[in-house]
Amino acid sequence: MLILKLQASFCFFPARSLDKLYNFADCSGLHLIFALNALRRNPNNSWNSSSALSLLKYSASKKYNISWELGNEPNNYRTMHGRAVNGSQLGKDYIQLKSLLQPIRIYSRASLYGPNIGRPRKNVIALLDGFMKVAGSTVDAVTWQHCYIDGRVVKVMDFLKTRLLDTLSDQIRKIQKVVNTYTPGKKIWLEGVVTTSAGGTNNLSDSYAAGFLWLNTLGMLANQGIDVVIRHSFFDHGYNHLVDQNFNPLPDYWLSLLYKRLIGPKVLAVHVAGLQRKPRPGRVIRDKLRIYAHCTNHHNHNYVRGSITLFIINLHRSRKKIKLAGTLRDKLVHQYLLQPYGQEGLKSKSVQLNGQPLVMVDDGTLPELKPRPLRPGRTLVIPPVTMGFYVVKNVNALACRYR
């Protein structure tokens, strides 16, 4: 499912704007999640839902298929707006929103997501705990946001630091611990991910270098059972977007496109001889060569069911060689190697696929994403500081033959 999320942090949202937004989402094959304004409060600090109810009734009259959320990063309300809302109160607000949706026929079974907390520090975990205790069963998925680094101080080499890439894994464990305490098995979504804070950093958040964090995020989330991630943002706001002001695709767009075309939802275990090292007390293993494996997307008609796709991140300053073993050894491999294009290097906003620059054919036509065939048995050579996808064809992997 492709998702478009709108955050309504203002008091009034014009009907005409909602019409335009919904029509855009509908025409684009996107599902709209509308985040209602949670900052309208009554004197007792409960949520004032009057304007939200008007919007719900209007969107229902238009038969708009929308999912809902309430607020954004409630842990920051005191800092940003001078008014705090604790987890228990936020949970009650969500129950109130659910009660507004149920009598409206089109929204009686609409999905509800939240609480969309920020980085899970101690106070944020306390907020999530209070929310889950009151309203954990009310939401269809628990949501949070992740920001990797302060955008005011970031440097290009920061994107290559394994310690930074691994911060996400620790956050996932913290969120899962609280959620599973109250609602075991409840879905968890990463509903907002940005490389740098404050809207991103020009010439960095929109560059090739940022792709290392983005691709590693996708691999790490899938490995830990989180199957939905929402990107901040597609266009216009800040510098974390996927296309520039002229709608030309930026590096993360091409990375996302390849991921959607080649990667299926089923995650496979990877063992790399010589890479896995035994941890020692007080030492954390942080690998600069990261290999993820999935069943190939069964919607991609270029590959038969049973094929496997690897995506590999090489953060080393030297090339790395990988030799496929076992049933993978004698199979044809299609390489999709993404490298920066132009003089800017890692700061480039253009990429090349297998040595060919990726540009739109025209305003509405994507270029053909041609793989480079590698003969069976050939060693995979991963250039320094690059990333790529490798489809191992016709493996007939049992785990990948069926949905």
Side-chain angles (χ1 to χ4, degrees), residues 51-353:
S51 61
L53 183 58
S54 298
L55 189 143
L56 290 173
K57 289 180 176 179
Y58 175 78
S59 59
S61 72
K62 304 289 284 188
K63 293 183 171 55
Y64 289 159
N65 178 23
I66 300 176
S67 296
W68 303 94
E69 190 173 59
L70 182 60
N72 181 59
E73 290 192 272
N75 47 288
N76 286 334
Y77 286 174
R78 181 186 294 277
T79 302
M80 302 295 292
H81 307 284
R83 191 167 209 173
V85 178
N86 63 34
S88 298
Q89 181 58 59
L90 188 63
K92 294 174 184 176
D93 298 339
Y94 264 78
I95 292 172
Q96 181 182 351
L97 173 55
K98 188 76 170 181
S99 70
L100 294 181
L101 293 170
Q102 286 178 334
I104 302 174
R105 184 175 180 181
I106 191 173
Y107 297 134
S108 62
R109 296 185 179 181
S111 294
L112 182 60
Y113 304 110
N116 204 21
I117 55 172
R119 186 174 183 176
R121 296 184 175 93
K122 186 175 180 180
N123 65 313
V124 181
I125 288 296
L127 188 151
L128 178 62
D129 188 271
F131 174 84
M132 293 301 299
K133 189 180 299 183
V134 173
S137 60
T138 302
V139 293
D140 294 276
V142 176
T143 58
W144 101 101
Q145 299 187 30
H146 178 65
C147 175
Y148 276 100
I149 194 169
D150 188 338
R152 296 167 297 182
V153 298
V154 65
K155 299 176 182 178
V156 67
M157 298 311 294
D158 290 331
F159 294 116
L160 309 183
K161 293 179 179 179
T162 55
R163 184 180 297 276
L164 182 64
L165 271 66
D166 289 340
T167 56
L168 178 61
S169 182
D170 181 55
Q171 290 197 18
I172 294 171
R173 285 192 294 269
K174 289 179 179 178
I175 299 291
Q176 287 175 331
K177 182 178 179 181
V178 177
V179 172
N180 290 330
T181 298
Y182 296 100
T183 54
K186 173 75 70 175
K187 284 188 173 293
I188 299 173
W189 289 9
L190 179 55
E191 203 183 86
V193 58
V194 293
T195 52
T196 62
S197 62
T201 306
N202 191 23
N203 297 322
L204 287 178
S205 303
D206 47 4
S207 71
Y208 177 86
F212 296 116
L213 290 177
W214 179 227
L215 187 57
N216 188 70
T217 296
L218 296 173
M220 190 173 285
L221 289 171
N223 269 0
Q224 299 199 39
I226 296 175
D227 55 7
V228 174
V229 54
I230 298 178
R231 168 80 183 219
H232 280 184
S233 57
F234 184 79
F235 173 73
D236 194 40
H237 174 72
Y239 300 101
N240 287 305
H241 37 70
L242 297 177
V243 297
D244 67 17
Q245 296 296 316
N246 297 313
F247 298 100
N248 295 309
L250 291 165
D252 277 5
Y253 178 92
W254 298 114
L255 194 59
S256 303
L257 181 62
L258 281 167
Y259 188 94
K260 290 292 290 184
R261 288 191 178 181
L262 300 175
I263 302 298
K266 187 168 289 186
V267 181
L268 304 174
V270 177
H271 176 75
V272 185
L275 181 61
Q276 272 86 4
R277 293 164 287 170
K278 292 183 179 180
R280 286 182 274 178
R283 180 186 178 192
V284 178
I285 301 299
R286 302 189 187 276
D287 290 313
K288 289 191 172 185
L289 183 66
R290 298 180 177 227
I291 305 174
Y292 298 97
H294 286 237
C295 296
T296 303
N297 189 344
H298 65 264
H299 293 299
N300 191 322
H301 300 301
N302 293 321
Y303 303 108
V304 299
R305 287 182 183 272
S307 298
I308 291 173
T309 301
L310 310 173
F311 55 104
I312 302 174
I313 300 170
N314 182 15
L315 299 173
H316 290 277
R317 295 178 181 273
S318 59
R319 68 178 187 174
K320 293 298 172 182
K321 296 181 179 181
I322 299 172
K323 197 159 186 68
L324 301 180
T327 57
L328 308 184
R329 180 181 301 167
D330 60 349
K331 302 300 181 183
L332 180 69
V333 176
H334 276 183
Q335 172 186 277
Y336 298 82
L337 178 65
L338 279 175
Q339 295 175 282
Y341 178 72
Q343 299 296 322
E344 298 89 350
L346 293 177
K347 288 187 175 183
S348 177
K349 297 182 182 180
S350 300
V351 295
Q352 52 184 322
L353 176 65

Side-chain angles (χ1 to χ4, degrees), residues 15-82:
R16 186 168 56 182
S17 297
L18 179 59
D19 294 339
K20 290 180 178 179
L21 179 69
Y22 187 83
N23 289 335
F24 168 77
D26 192 46
C27 290
S28 303
L30 301 171
H31 178 70
L32 179 63
I33 298 175
F34 195 105
L36 296 163
N37 184 5
L39 293 171
R40 289 177 58 86
R41 317 300 295 183
N42 295 314
N44 65 354
N45 208 31
S46 64
W47 178 48
N48 185 329
S49 60
S50 56
S51 61
L53 183 58
S54 298
L55 189 143
L56 290 173
K57 289 180 176 179
Y58 175 78
S59 59
S61 72
K62 304 289 284 188
K63 293 183 171 55
Y64 289 159
N65 178 23
I66 300 176
S67 296
W68 303 94
E69 190 173 59
L70 182 60
N72 181 59
E73 290 192 272
N75 47 288
N76 286 334
Y77 286 174
R78 181 186 294 277
T79 302
M80 302 295 292
H81 307 284

